[in-house]
Short mmCIF file of all heavy atoms in Angstrom, two decimals:
data_model
loop_
_atom_site.label_atom_id
_atom_site.label_comp_id
_atom_site.label_asym_id
_atom_site.label_seq_id
_atom_site.Cartn_x
_atom_site.Cartn_y
_atom_site.Cartn_z
N THR W 7 -4.37 131.12 14.94
CA THR W 7 -4.62 130.92 16.35
C THR W 7 -6.00 130.30 16.57
O THR W 7 -7.01 130.79 16.08
CB THR W 7 -4.56 132.27 17.10
OG1 THR W 7 -3.22 132.78 17.01
CG2 THR W 7 -4.96 132.12 18.55
N ALA W 8 -6.00 129.17 17.29
CA ALA W 8 -7.25 128.44 17.49
C ALA W 8 -6.96 127.23 18.38
O ALA W 8 -5.78 126.91 18.65
CB ALA W 8 -7.83 127.94 16.18
N VAL W 9 -8.00 126.56 18.80
CA VAL W 9 -7.87 125.25 19.41
C VAL W 9 -7.94 124.24 18.25
O VAL W 9 -8.86 124.28 17.45
CB VAL W 9 -8.96 124.94 20.43
CG1 VAL W 9 -8.84 123.51 20.97
CG2 VAL W 9 -8.92 125.95 21.57
N TYR W 10 -6.93 123.39 18.21
CA TYR W 10 -6.84 122.40 17.12
C TYR W 10 -7.30 121.05 17.64
O TYR W 10 -6.83 120.59 18.70
CB TYR W 10 -5.44 122.30 16.60
CG TYR W 10 -5.08 123.47 15.68
CD1 TYR W 10 -4.94 124.75 16.19
CD2 TYR W 10 -4.91 123.27 14.31
CE1 TYR W 10 -4.66 125.80 15.34
CE2 TYR W 10 -4.62 124.33 13.46
CZ TYR W 10 -4.50 125.59 14.00
OH TYR W 10 -4.21 126.65 13.15
N TYR W 11 -8.22 120.42 16.92
CA TYR W 11 -8.80 119.15 17.32
C TYR W 11 -8.45 118.07 16.31
O TYR W 11 -8.51 118.28 15.10
CB TYR W 11 -10.33 119.24 17.40
CG TYR W 11 -10.85 120.19 18.43
CD1 TYR W 11 -11.12 121.53 18.10
CD2 TYR W 11 -11.09 119.75 19.73
CE1 TYR W 11 -11.61 122.41 19.07
CE2 TYR W 11 -11.57 120.63 20.69
CZ TYR W 11 -11.84 121.95 20.35
OH TYR W 11 -12.32 122.82 21.30
N CYS W 12 -8.14 116.90 16.82
CA CYS W 12 -7.95 115.71 16.01
C CYS W 12 -9.26 114.93 16.03
O CYS W 12 -9.95 114.90 17.05
CB CYS W 12 -6.82 114.87 16.59
SG CYS W 12 -6.56 113.29 15.80
N ALA W 13 -9.59 114.30 14.90
CA ALA W 13 -10.84 113.55 14.82
C ALA W 13 -10.69 112.33 13.94
O ALA W 13 -9.83 112.29 13.04
CB ALA W 13 -11.96 114.44 14.26
N VAL W 14 -11.51 111.32 14.19
CA VAL W 14 -11.50 110.10 13.40
C VAL W 14 -12.86 109.86 12.77
O VAL W 14 -13.90 109.98 13.45
CB VAL W 14 -11.13 108.88 14.26
CG1 VAL W 14 -11.49 107.57 13.56
CG2 VAL W 14 -9.65 108.88 14.58
N ARG W 15 -12.86 109.53 11.49
CA ARG W 15 -14.08 109.15 10.78
C ARG W 15 -13.93 107.66 10.46
O ARG W 15 -12.99 107.28 9.75
CB ARG W 15 -14.25 109.98 9.52
CG ARG W 15 -15.34 109.53 8.56
CD ARG W 15 -15.58 110.56 7.49
NE ARG W 15 -16.25 110.06 6.33
CZ ARG W 15 -17.55 109.84 6.24
NH1 ARG W 15 -18.34 110.08 7.26
NH2 ARG W 15 -18.08 109.38 5.12
N THR W 16 -14.84 106.85 10.98
CA THR W 16 -14.72 105.40 10.80
C THR W 16 -15.34 104.96 9.47
O THR W 16 -16.34 104.23 9.44
CB THR W 16 -15.36 104.65 11.98
OG1 THR W 16 -16.72 105.13 12.15
CG2 THR W 16 -14.58 104.92 13.26
N SER W 17 -14.73 105.43 8.41
CA SER W 17 -15.20 105.14 7.06
C SER W 17 -14.02 105.28 6.12
O SER W 17 -13.04 105.96 6.44
CB SER W 17 -16.32 106.14 6.68
OG SER W 17 -16.58 106.08 5.28
N ARG W 18 -14.15 104.66 4.94
CA ARG W 18 -13.08 104.82 3.97
C ARG W 18 -13.31 106.08 3.11
O ARG W 18 -12.48 106.43 2.29
CB ARG W 18 -13.02 103.59 3.03
CG ARG W 18 -14.23 103.41 2.14
CD ARG W 18 -14.02 102.26 1.17
NE ARG W 18 -13.89 100.99 1.83
CZ ARG W 18 -12.77 100.28 1.82
NH1 ARG W 18 -11.69 100.78 1.22
NH2 ARG W 18 -12.72 99.14 2.42
N TYR W 19 -14.46 106.70 3.28
CA TYR W 19 -14.83 107.83 2.42
C TYR W 19 -14.42 109.14 3.06
O TYR W 19 -14.84 109.49 4.17
CB TYR W 19 -16.32 107.80 2.12
CG TYR W 19 -16.74 106.55 1.40
CD1 TYR W 19 -17.50 105.58 2.04
CD2 TYR W 19 -16.33 106.31 0.10
CE1 TYR W 19 -17.85 104.41 1.38
CE2 TYR W 19 -16.67 105.15 -0.56
CZ TYR W 19 -17.42 104.21 0.09
OH TYR W 19 -17.77 103.04 -0.54
N TYR W 20 -13.63 109.89 2.32
CA TYR W 20 -13.04 111.15 2.78
C TYR W 20 -14.13 112.18 3.02
O TYR W 20 -15.14 112.24 2.31
CB TYR W 20 -12.09 111.65 1.68
CG TYR W 20 -11.39 112.90 1.97
CD1 TYR W 20 -10.23 112.92 2.72
CD2 TYR W 20 -11.87 114.11 1.45
CE1 TYR W 20 -9.58 114.11 2.97
CE2 TYR W 20 -11.22 115.30 1.69
CZ TYR W 20 -10.06 115.29 2.45
OH TYR W 20 -9.43 116.45 2.69
N SER W 21 -13.95 113.01 4.02
CA SER W 21 -14.90 114.07 4.32
C SER W 21 -14.21 115.26 4.96
O SER W 21 -13.26 115.08 5.74
CB SER W 21 -16.01 113.56 5.24
OG SER W 21 -16.88 114.63 5.63
N THR W 22 -14.69 116.46 4.67
CA THR W 22 -14.21 117.67 5.32
C THR W 22 -15.23 118.23 6.30
O THR W 22 -15.02 119.30 6.86
CB THR W 22 -13.89 118.75 4.28
OG1 THR W 22 -15.10 119.11 3.60
CG2 THR W 22 -12.88 118.25 3.27
N GLU W 23 -16.32 117.51 6.51
CA GLU W 23 -17.41 117.96 7.38
C GLU W 23 -17.22 117.44 8.79
O GLU W 23 -17.18 116.22 9.01
CB GLU W 23 -18.75 117.50 6.83
CG GLU W 23 -19.08 118.03 5.44
CD GLU W 23 -19.21 119.55 5.42
OE1 GLU W 23 -19.68 120.11 6.42
OE2 GLU W 23 -18.82 120.15 4.40
N SER W 24 -17.17 118.33 9.75
CA SER W 24 -16.93 117.90 11.13
C SER W 24 -18.01 116.97 11.64
O SER W 24 -17.75 116.07 12.43
CB SER W 24 -16.80 119.11 12.04
OG SER W 24 -17.98 119.89 12.03
N GLY W 25 -19.24 117.17 11.17
CA GLY W 25 -20.34 116.33 11.63
C GLY W 25 -20.24 114.88 11.19
O GLY W 25 -20.97 114.03 11.70
N GLU W 26 -19.34 114.61 10.26
CA GLU W 26 -19.19 113.23 9.76
C GLU W 26 -18.02 112.50 10.41
O GLU W 26 -17.69 111.39 10.01
CB GLU W 26 -19.04 113.26 8.24
CG GLU W 26 -20.30 113.76 7.55
CD GLU W 26 -20.22 113.72 6.03
OE1 GLU W 26 -19.11 113.48 5.52
OE2 GLU W 26 -21.26 113.96 5.38
N TYR W 27 -17.44 113.10 11.43
CA TYR W 27 -16.38 112.45 12.20
C TYR W 27 -16.96 111.92 13.49
O TYR W 27 -17.82 112.56 14.11
CB TYR W 27 -15.23 113.42 12.44
CG TYR W 27 -14.37 113.59 11.22
CD1 TYR W 27 -14.83 114.33 10.13
CD2 TYR W 27 -13.10 113.00 11.12
CE1 TYR W 27 -14.06 114.48 8.97
CE2 TYR W 27 -12.33 113.14 9.98
CZ TYR W 27 -12.81 113.87 8.90
OH TYR W 27 -12.05 113.99 7.77
N ASP W 28 -16.48 110.75 13.88
CA ASP W 28 -17.12 110.00 14.97
C ASP W 28 -16.47 110.20 16.33
O ASP W 28 -17.14 110.09 17.35
CB ASP W 28 -17.11 108.51 14.64
CG ASP W 28 -17.77 108.22 13.29
OD1 ASP W 28 -19.00 108.40 13.20
OD2 ASP W 28 -17.05 107.86 12.33
N TYR W 29 -15.19 110.45 16.36
CA TYR W 29 -14.46 110.59 17.62
C TYR W 29 -13.59 111.83 17.57
O TYR W 29 -13.04 112.16 16.52
CB TYR W 29 -13.58 109.36 17.88
CG TYR W 29 -14.36 108.05 17.98
CD1 TYR W 29 -14.48 107.22 16.87
CD2 TYR W 29 -15.02 107.70 19.16
CE1 TYR W 29 -15.22 106.04 16.96
CE2 TYR W 29 -15.74 106.53 19.24
CZ TYR W 29 -15.84 105.71 18.14
OH TYR W 29 -16.57 104.56 18.22
N TRP W 30 -13.46 112.45 18.75
CA TRP W 30 -12.72 113.71 18.84
C TRP W 30 -11.78 113.71 20.02
O TRP W 30 -12.09 113.12 21.07
CB TRP W 30 -13.71 114.88 18.99
CG TRP W 30 -14.51 115.13 17.75
CD1 TRP W 30 -15.64 114.47 17.36
CD2 TRP W 30 -14.23 116.08 16.72
NE1 TRP W 30 -16.08 114.96 16.15
CE2 TRP W 30 -15.22 115.94 15.74
CE3 TRP W 30 -13.22 117.03 16.53
CZ2 TRP W 30 -15.25 116.73 14.58
CZ3 TRP W 30 -13.25 117.79 15.39
CH2 TRP W 30 -14.26 117.65 14.43
N GLY W 31 -10.64 114.39 19.84
CA GLY W 31 -9.75 114.63 20.97
C GLY W 31 -10.20 115.84 21.76
O GLY W 31 -11.18 116.50 21.43
N GLN W 32 -9.43 116.13 22.80
CA GLN W 32 -9.81 117.23 23.70
C GLN W 32 -9.34 118.58 23.17
O GLN W 32 -9.81 119.61 23.67
CB GLN W 32 -9.19 116.99 25.10
CG GLN W 32 -7.73 117.36 25.26
CD GLN W 32 -6.78 116.40 24.58
OE1 GLN W 32 -7.16 115.34 24.08
NE2 GLN W 32 -5.50 116.76 24.55
N GLY W 33 -8.47 118.59 22.20
CA GLY W 33 -8.00 119.83 21.59
C GLY W 33 -6.70 120.30 22.20
O GLY W 33 -6.39 120.02 23.36
N THR W 34 -5.94 121.04 21.40
CA THR W 34 -4.69 121.65 21.86
C THR W 34 -4.64 123.06 21.34
O THR W 34 -4.95 123.34 20.18
CB THR W 34 -3.46 120.81 21.42
OG1 THR W 34 -2.28 121.37 21.98
CG2 THR W 34 -3.32 120.78 19.90
N GLN W 35 -4.24 124.00 22.20
CA GLN W 35 -4.26 125.41 21.86
C GLN W 35 -3.00 125.78 21.06
O GLN W 35 -1.87 125.44 21.44
CB GLN W 35 -4.32 126.27 23.12
CG GLN W 35 -4.23 127.76 22.88
CD GLN W 35 -5.50 128.32 22.22
OE1 GLN W 35 -6.60 128.00 22.65
NE2 GLN W 35 -5.33 129.14 21.21
N VAL W 36 -3.22 126.48 19.96
CA VAL W 36 -2.14 127.06 19.17
C VAL W 36 -2.36 128.57 19.14
O VAL W 36 -3.42 129.03 18.76
CB VAL W 36 -2.11 126.51 17.74
CG1 VAL W 36 -1.14 127.27 16.87
CG2 VAL W 36 -1.78 125.02 17.76
N THR W 37 -1.35 129.29 19.58
CA THR W 37 -1.42 130.76 19.60
C THR W 37 -0.25 131.30 18.80
O THR W 37 0.90 130.98 19.09
CB THR W 37 -1.40 131.29 21.02
OG1 THR W 37 -2.47 130.71 21.78
CG2 THR W 37 -1.54 132.80 21.03
#
């Protein structure tokens, strides 16, 4: 259960760090 966010990182290099993503959606609630 959480708010799930989609994000885009404008790079070819994979990352799991949220701070390295450039754009974010508004989120969708999953309960």
Side-chain angles (χ1 to χ4, degrees):
T7 295
V9 177
Y10 283 69
Y11 297 91
C12 175
V14 164
R15 171 170 161 79
T16 54
S17 167
R18 66 174 64 247
Y19 300 109
Y20 181 83
S21 174
T22 63
E23 299 297 325
S24 60
E26 295 184 350
Y27 283 73
D28 305 292
Y29 300 97
W30 291 83
Q32 80 286 353
T34 185
Q35 176 71 46
V36 171
T37 303

